[in-house]
Amino acid sequence: MATQLKDTRQTQTLPQGSVTWPLPPRERPDVVGADKATLEAYLATAPLEEVDIADPLWWETDTNHVYFRRLREEAPVFFTSVNSNRHRGFWNVVRWNDVMAVDTNHQVFSSEAMLGGITLFDMDPDFIMPMFIAMDQPKHDVQRKAVNPIVSGQNLANYEELIRSRTCEVLDSLPRGEAFDWVDKVSIELTSRMLATLFGWPQERRRMLTYWSDVSTSDPELPGSPGKEERQGILLGMLQEFTMLWNERVNAEPTGDLVSMLAHNPATRNMPPMEFMGNLVLLIVGGNDTTRNSITGGLYFLNKNPEEYAKLKANHGLVENMVSEIIRYQTPLAHMRRTALQDTVLGGQLIHKGDKVVMWYTSANRDDTVLDNPDAFIIDRPRARQHMSFGFGIHRCVGNRLAELQLKILWEEILKRFDTIEVLEEPERVPSAFVRGYKSMMVRIPA
Amino acid sequence: MVKIIYVEHNGARHEVNVPEGENLMEGAVQNNVPGIDGDCGGNAACATCHCYIPEQWAGLTGERSELEDSMIELADTAKPNSRLACQIKASAALDGLEVLMPATQH
């Protein structure tokens, strides 16, 4: 399977240079608007090259997994040309071992913002925000190390009590016997409070952080999202507010928050404004979207798998293992992207210098050649920590231990309080091939 | 079998027998030694099997690879004798090796 060297790109359709804005209309199959079963049936039989899996359609409807299963079996390193006038075309890397090979080879596969960065769609060339996740060595290492102490073992131990008391407060305030949105009342509430603490940001304005996170990852083409210029304006406003905090803290004693850490570390003290903004966006999105969606996803999965919920209620000691399984099963960031710095061969395919290479973590986490029964949500799965959701190599998630701690405490406290939390209807999903998440999920706690 | 002694940060000792050729992360995980996670399965790609090798054993445990070196450099508990346990294979020469662990894995 895919062992011979075969260039699957249709080079004649590849535009030169970067794409132009506004983007040309997206080519779509005529199943748009059909029900989930129809969409899945389409993905199960359509020619592989006809599908643009970056289309938000496949994410909003949670149907993408059908296509990834086919790619893993039929074409594990596969070039998408359709709609290349929008995204320049990209390689899909879908198997565990291939994703690992790319993620651990930072000399060949670059994260550099100027080459487009770390998401499938290139960073806006008129608004490049350098951030350490989108840097290569050596600059990446020194900037990452500047913020590392906030999630050190000692610091996490210091946060534990605070996280627990807030979690209790949020859970105790939830209505009983009536429908409410779990995303808003719990997932966003807990993650925004944590973020405000990490940044030393005023708690009463914590939802601004959620707003900026959502704006950073929003798709300017979608109705209701800020357009390209509006997005730039909002993020510049964020920069302005954080610059005031920076100015307060740069000459003061270190206060242990992220702004103070960045202002005091020689590696980040003299960052240009756009780089400060970039790192803010990284840390806000990194600490917000991911944990938020795992908080929602966990409750959803337990409702979909009542036997697992029963197992958990019978044995609260499973929480820690379950947290890893939730993070695997959710895969809150569906992919990370790299740019090839030289011609290279991966999975028998010739990848050219400059090509976009998309590591689909969401697919690697369902690779049955590495994981047993990966489509099942199993809270006592052996070696559940072995999942792809945090990435591997030098760009591996820096906040993973904090995320695990937040989720662990949340589930410990839920189990102490509520016999069950019912999900009332299918959640509304985020239409994004990057942030795999939920806009809302209506639930009820029995009175 | 090779006798390996895993020493937690608090001093707790775990003496286990690791089959020759097996890496020391697996040796810990298979024997339920706490404090070594091995999230990446042995690819030097997560640094959750970070450990310290006493000086007298350094010559027998090999050199860090480029990736291992990069991953260790990013850990805030890194020391000159830091290694990733998954990159050291058990061999007769390592019989009796003490593997020291940091307070937390990141």
Side-chain angles (χ1 to χ4, degrees):
Chain A
M1 206 179 298
T3 44
Q4 79 279 30
L5 272 180
K6 187 169 129 247
D7 192 343
T8 62
R9 301 189 314 169
Q10 299 167 1
T11 35
Q12 70 278 12
T13 67
L14 264 183
Q16 294 301 307
S18 58
V19 296
T20 50
W21 199 269
L23 298 176
R26 182 181 272 124
E27 210 178 293
R28 285 181 139 175
D30 53 15
V31 290
V32 174
D35 61 20
K36 191 170 174 178
T38 307
L39 295 174
E40 288 184 336
Y42 168 77
L43 287 178
T45 52
L48 292 178
E49 57 275 10
E50 192 180 293
V51 176
D52 177 9
I53 204 65
D55 188 330
L57 167 68
W58 310 119
W59 301 88
E60 191 168 27
T61 56
D62 194 34
T63 47
N64 54 79
H65 61 97
V66 176
Y67 187 67
F68 287 124
R69 183 179 305 133
R70 285 183 65 197
L71 284 187
R72 284 196 301 276
E73 285 166 9
E74 298 171 37
V77 179
F78 183 78
F79 195 82
T80 295
S81 301
V82 64
N83 286 324
S84 58
N85 55 354
R86 297 171 49 86
H87 49 54
R88 299 195 290 125
F90 58 91
W91 288 99
N92 298 277
V93 182
V94 297
R95 283 185 181 171
W96 177 282
N97 288 330
D98 291 332
V99 170
M100 181 71 84
V102 173
D103 228 357
T104 53
N105 192 354
H106 49 265
Q107 289 95 342
V108 171
F109 298 104
S110 168
S111 297
E112 172 57 46
M114 296 303 290
L115 298 176
I118 49 99
T119 57
L120 196 154
F121 285 91
D122 288 340
M123 210 179 265
D124 180 352
D126 303 324
F127 202 67
I128 294 284
M129 294 184 282
M131 53 180 85
F132 68 80
I133 196 176
M135 289 176 190
D136 293 333
Q137 289 176 319
K139 196 172 172 186
H140 159 270
D141 290 14
V142 290
Q143 291 209 353
R144 178 180 167 125
K145 277 198 257 186
V147 299
N148 216 6
I150 197 124
V151 286
S152 70
Q154 185 53 52
N155 229 35
L156 293 189
N158 295 341
Y159 281 141
E160 183 159 355
E161 202 182 323
L162 179 68
I163 296 172
R164 193 172 298 277
S165 68
R166 280 183 183 161
T167 304
C168 295
E169 201 177 299
V170 167
L171 293 179
D172 288 337
S173 72
L174 296 176
R176 304 280 188 128
E178 62 177 80
F180 67 91
D181 181 7
W182 180 260
V183 172
D184 180 61
K185 284 219 172 353
V186 179
S187 310
I188 292 181
E189 194 50 35
L190 287 174
T191 45
S192 61
R193 288 185 189 209
M194 189 70 230
L195 262 188
T197 298
L198 295 174
F199 280 101
W201 176 263
Q203 281 292 338
E204 63 278 11
R205 298 187 63 231
R206 60 183 175 270
R207 292 279 174 136
M208 286 305 291
L209 300 172
T210 314
Y211 172 65
W212 287 323
S213 177
D214 291 345
V215 168
S216 308
T217 58
S218 70
D219 180 345
E221 285 186 297
L222 290 177
S225 298
K228 207 164 105 107
E229 282 79 23
E230 194 187 350
R231 176 176 177 272
Q232 295 177 1
I234 294 167
L235 294 177
L236 285 167
M238 175 193 78
L239 174 64
Q240 206 168 12
E241 297 218 26
F242 270 97
T243 301
M244 293 196 296
L245 285 187
W246 172 291
N247 290 340
E248 282 168 20
R249 291 173 195 172
V250 67
N251 293 318
E253 284 298 303
T255 41
D257 59 84
L258 284 167
V259 175
S260 175
M261 280 181 183
L262 290 170
H264 283 269
N265 194 297
T268 46
R269 195 168 49 204
N270 298 311
M271 280 186 293
M274 286 301 280
E275 196 167 312
F276 180 39
M277 187 200 291
N279 280 315
L280 288 171
V281 166
L282 164 61
L283 296 165
I284 291 175
V285 173
N288 180 60
D289 272 327
T290 51
T291 314
R292 180 209 300 183
N293 292 317
S294 295
I295 288 175
T296 310
L299 181 58
Y300 178 64
F301 306 148
L302 286 171
N303 267 262
K304 283 276 171 190
N305 299 274
E307 68 295 346
E308 297 299 306
Y309 208 165
K311 224 193 262 179
L312 175 68
K313 285 186 230 174
N315 180 4
H316 296 187
L318 292 175
V319 164
E320 203 158 336
N321 204 75
M322 176 182 76
V323 163
S324 290
E325 178 68 347
I326 288 173
I327 296 167
R328 177 188 75 90
Y329 211 66
Q330 179 58 37
T331 320
L333 294 179
H335 75 265
M336 283 285 166
R337 165 267 177 100
R338 301 289 184 257
T339 307
L341 292 177
Q342 59 186 66
D343 289 2
T344 188
V345 174
L346 181 74
Q349 300 294 329
L350 178 61
I351 293 175
H352 291 277
K353 178 180 176 178
D355 283 357
K356 270 186 205 184
V357 179
V358 177
M359 301 177 283
W360 290 107
Y361 291 158
T362 188
S363 171
N365 270 335
R366 300 292 176 96
D367 184 343
D368 64 7
T369 64
V370 175
L371 301 161
D372 286 334
N373 196 9
D375 286 333
F377 175 70
I378 304 170
I379 64 169
D380 51 355
R381 176 180 288 281
R383 300 187 80 158
R385 295 194 60 84
Q386 268 187 39
H387 62 71
M388 197 55 88
S389 303
F390 293 131
F392 286 117
I394 61 169
H395 295 286
R396 180 173 166 82
C397 175
V398 73
N400 58 342
R401 298 286 176 179
L402 175 60
E404 289 169 350
L405 181 65
Q406 288 175 271
L407 287 165
K408 173 175 160 288
I409 291 173
L410 171 67
W411 280 100
E412 285 170 356
E413 296 303 327
I414 286 176
L415 289 171
K416 281 183 202 165
R417 282 168 177 73
F418 311 126
D419 180 56
T420 190
I421 305 172
E422 308 159 359
V423 173
L424 299 176
E425 55 195 54
E426 280 299 301
E428 193 187 347
R429 291 169 189 276
V430 176
S432 164
F434 182 57
V435 173
R436 196 164 170 270
Y438 310 88
K439 281 186 179 170
S440 68
M441 185 170 80
M442 296 308 289
V443 306
R444 180 175 51 214
I445 302 172
Chain B
M1 285 290 186
V2 183
K3 186 174 79 178
I4 303 289
I5 304 126
Y6 296 91
V7 185
E8 289 185 64
H9 193 67
N10 63 13
R13 296 167 68 85
H14 306 267
E15 193 175 309
V16 303
N17 291 314
V18 181
E20 220 164 315
E22 183 122 282
N23 73 59
L24 301 189
M25 177 277 287
E26 282 294 338
V29 172
Q30 301 285 353
N31 290 287
N32 298 314
V33 174
I36 299 238
D37 292 332
D39 292 4
C40 75
N43 292 279
C46 68
T48 63
C49 64
H50 180 201
C51 63
Y52 311 115
I53 300 297
E55 200 182 339
Q56 64 271 30
W57 295 93
L60 296 166
T61 47
E63 300 279 317
R64 298 179 191 170
S65 68
E66 195 279 336
L67 178 61
E68 182 183 357
D69 197 52
S70 294
M71 294 306 296
I72 288 171
E73 277 303 305
L74 294 173
D76 45 26
T77 47
K79 294 183 192 173
N81 64 342
S82 287
R83 289 296 308 272
L84 299 182
C86 71
Q87 299 303 300
I88 302 172
K89 281 203 166 78
S91 65
L94 296 183
D95 197 58
L97 169 71
E98 284 191 2
V99 176
L100 314 177
M101 286 183 238
T104 53
Q105 296 286 354
H106 188 260

